[in-house]
Amino acid sequence: MKFTFAHYNYNVFDLEKSLKFYEEALGLKEVSRKEAEDGSFILVYLGDGVTPFNLELTWLRDWDRAYNLGDNEQHLAFEVENFDEAYAKHKEMGCICFENQAMGIYFISDPDGYWLEVVPKK
């Protein structure tokens, strides 16, 4: 038996705000969507257009508060070819939440507070 990655999920409070953020900050685009017949949830899968990996954003109609992310130790990482250009863009967006210059990486925070690591392409 062989298992392969399919997708990773983040629950989001404001779906439209999150979709805008992920497209502007990381260039992710919607690849598919599933909506509950009763309107109770929407699942949106985002892709980078290069890899088969998807980020699933889940919006729940009846959720009425920010998500508790605990210590926020989990994160999704993104490689980028032009690290300095990405850094400047994220700095301008005001979404950089942590930098580790010794390791040559930084993290951005999405509208719900999820951390996303940005690393230079190897």
Side-chain angles (χ1 to χ4, degrees), residues 31-69:
V31 294
S32 66
R33 177 183 290 240
K34 177 175 176 53
E35 298 187 32
E37 288 183 23
D38 66 359
S40 62
F41 69 84
I42 299 173
L43 307 176
V44 177
Y45 294 88
L46 303 177
D48 61 17
V50 178
T51 68
F53 186 84
N54 286 314
L55 174 60
E56 174 189 6
L57 301 182
T58 299
W59 173 82
L60 302 171
R61 176 191 62 206
D62 298 330
W63 197 261
D64 62 356
R65 62 197 174 281
Y67 286 94
N68 179 349
L69 304 182

Side-chain angles (χ1 to χ4, degrees), residues 23-122:
E23 182 164 358
E24 183 180 350
L26 299 165
L28 301 183
K29 305 243 188 243
E30 182 174 332
V31 294
S32 66
R33 177 183 290 240
K34 177 175 176 53
E35 298 187 32
E37 288 183 23
D38 66 359
S40 62
F41 69 84
I42 299 173
L43 307 176
V44 177
Y45 294 88
L46 303 177
D48 61 17
V50 178
T51 68
F53 186 84
N54 286 314
L55 174 60
E56 174 189 6
L57 301 182
T58 299
W59 173 82
L60 302 171
R61 176 191 62 206
D62 298 330
W63 197 261
D64 62 356
R65 62 197 174 281
Y67 286 94
N68 179 349
L69 304 182
D71 292 332
N72 211 354
E73 286 296 319
Q74 75 282 349
H75 64 271
L76 196 54
F78 292 83
E79 285 185 330
V80 64
E81 287 185 7
N82 191 332
F83 185 83
D84 293 336
E85 184 179 324
Y87 179 88
K89 175 185 185 85
H90 294 143
K91 193 76 161 172
E92 181 180 312
M93 290 177 66
C95 60
I96 295 176
C97 58
F98 181 78
E99 298 180 52
N100 186 328
Q101 293 178 345
M103 291 182 67
I105 64 170
Y106 66 92
F107 290 80
I108 60 175
S109 179
D110 85 350
D112 289 280
Y114 293 106
W115 283 26
L116 307 151
E117 182 178 4
V118 180
V119 300
K121 190 158 180 93
K122 297 173 183 145

